[in-house]
Amino acid sequence: MAIYQDNRELIHRLKWLRGAFALLIIVLLVKLWYLTVVRFDHMQAMADRNQIRQLPLVAPRGVITDRNGVVLADSIPAFNLLLFLDEAEDLGATSRFLIQGLKIDAELLAERIAAGSRYAMFRPAVVRENLSMDDIAYVLAHQAEHPELKIFEQPRRRYPLGSLAAHVLGHVGEVSEGELQGETFQEYRPGDIVGKMGLERKYNRELTGRDGYRRVLVNNVGKILEELEVVEPIHGGDLQLTLDADMQRVAEEAIGDSPGAAVALDPTTGEILVLASRPAFDPNLFATRISMNEWRELTENPDHPLQNRTIHNRFSPGSVFKIIVALAGLEQGLVNPSSAVYCNGAVELYGHRFRCWKQGGHGLVSLRTAIQQSCNVYFYLLGQKLGIERISRFSKQVGLGAPTGVDLLGEVSGLVPSEEWKRRTFGTSWHAGETISVAIGQGPIDVTPVQLARAIGVVSTGRNARLHLVQGNGPIERTLTSPFSDENLRPVREAMWSVVNEWGTGRAAKVDGFKVCGKTGTVQMISNATRLRLSEEALERFEPNAWFVGFAPLDDPKVVVAVIVQRGGSGSGAAAPIAGAIFQSYYEKHVKPPKEIPAEFALKNMPEGVSR
């Protein structure tokens, strides 16, 4: 007997299943048409990007060393996080990932993405430098979700001695939008590292290498399948400086935390051995992006640690200027080494009473005593005889009032006044009484420490050499020679020797065995009348600036030193000891004979097998 089976429900279900399959096929066909026709260009570009990627190989900057090969700046490997903007399908999601996971500042990230978008097809944007191991682990753990992010090893600038010579070296940083629009950095692109100040900026082109790249085949999640081409980066050029790192350290430690500066140079070659400005900063802070707190600490510091006081700041020279005035008087025949005046503590000139620094006066003083004891009255009277025009002329002939041309950017000129300068600047005539103040380095005259060091170099040797910081940049110039004869230089040099080695004001700069010559200076910042009106707390901000300038040895000068300590109080108490430390350092390295080893000690410690 036949059994009847009702299959209507099964047939009904099969109809729905066939419909669902038909609908799915239609959807897939529509999607295929959409991707292959409507979105063809976009999908082709994505396919190309998924196949070939160009990865940057950043060139290390050149190494900077001191004159003895001590490394002052080099480059070390560091891991940076790069964002390939043209591969980011959802830039918002990528940004949230970076902000939340790596704690990248949202504003900073937006700036970097905006800057990098101009060159997205050529190079990725650097969104985080110097990744920590935790950062690296976090990115790698989410690599599949964010293939547009890649970790690359790239060189980072390093200053192994920290803040030592920071104002000479300067620092590097990412090229800014403003710099990209100027002529100097036209060939650079966002994300490039360039010199920002100091030698890093002055010699940026020489220090910058040439970047290379790797062209690789990758899959759709960024995994490298094959290396197609490699162009190796070219290392930047190296610089060897004239600077002596040991002497630089001695100078900076001697100045300490006080605002001040020191310069030491070889007057025969123009090589700068020390160029110290304090307080300083650590250029390593700028090797990665400096934080806002660190930046505020630098820029809001009242002592301005970013300023290079050796070339950017102008100071009244005070009594150290008396050296130039004395030489001008000798050269013009207005005084001779035996000429003497009587100092009773003050002198009346042009209806005004000009006081000496020593109450009661110095008594009868000759040129030697006047320099040794820094007698103001002697130089008041000599300044009256010379007049401002002759003082101005001789000052300019030793390089004051003009940049030295040292190979750093931003050097200021200083000021040597004249009658013409007064008319041009103020529209009034020069008054004879103003000359009296200028004669002792006060009034409208100012210099930079490096200018004053060059001037003393001319006094010490009778010639001028081009000041420079980079080896090979210093041929002797004949455009600026000493206006003073050897006959007139000799008594002034000997007087400067007595300042340090006899009962003078610079005894703290004395070095046994090294004939140091010098001159101190103490520059009041406010008048005595104003001083009486201020409280003790307020007076601390107006303590006198302290100077010392000098050279050694007397007979064959090899080193010139100029030191200023702002608010130091006195040249003898604050500046001379610093200069003495620098002279001592030079003497220990270049002059002092080595200690003799006793013969019996040498024989006892001679290695086995060596003939005795």
Side-chain angles (χ1 to χ4, degrees), residues 6-20:
D6 188 355
N7 293 326
R8 287 178 296 177
E9 184 175 349
L10 178 60
I11 294 170
H12 180 70
R13 290 180 180 179
L14 288 173
K15 287 181 179 179
W16 276 107
L17 187 59
R18 285 196 295 270

Side-chain angles (χ1 to χ4, degrees), residues 83 90-100 104 109 113 146:
L83 168 59
D90 187 344
L91 199 52
T94 303
S95 298
R96 287 190 295 274
F97 169 76
L98 294 171
I99 293 168
Q100 295 169 7
I104 296 178
L109 179 61
I113 289 175
H146 294 283

Side-chain angles (χ1 to χ4, degrees), residues 351-394:
H352 183 79
R353 190 169 179 80
F354 293 91
R355 299 182 181 278
C356 188
W357 68 266
K358 185 177 181 181
Q359 191 174 3
H362 292 92
L364 194 66
V365 291
S366 65
L367 178 112
R368 183 185 182 97
T369 311
I371 292 176
Q372 183 193 78
Q373 297 297 318
S374 199
C375 176
N376 286 348
V377 168
Y378 184 96
F379 288 97
Y380 289 148
L381 295 170
L382 181 52
Q384 182 189 34
K385 292 179 182 180
L386 279 167
I388 192 60
E389 289 307 298
R390 286 193 284 197
I391 292 175
S392 177
R393 174 161 54 88
F394 281 104

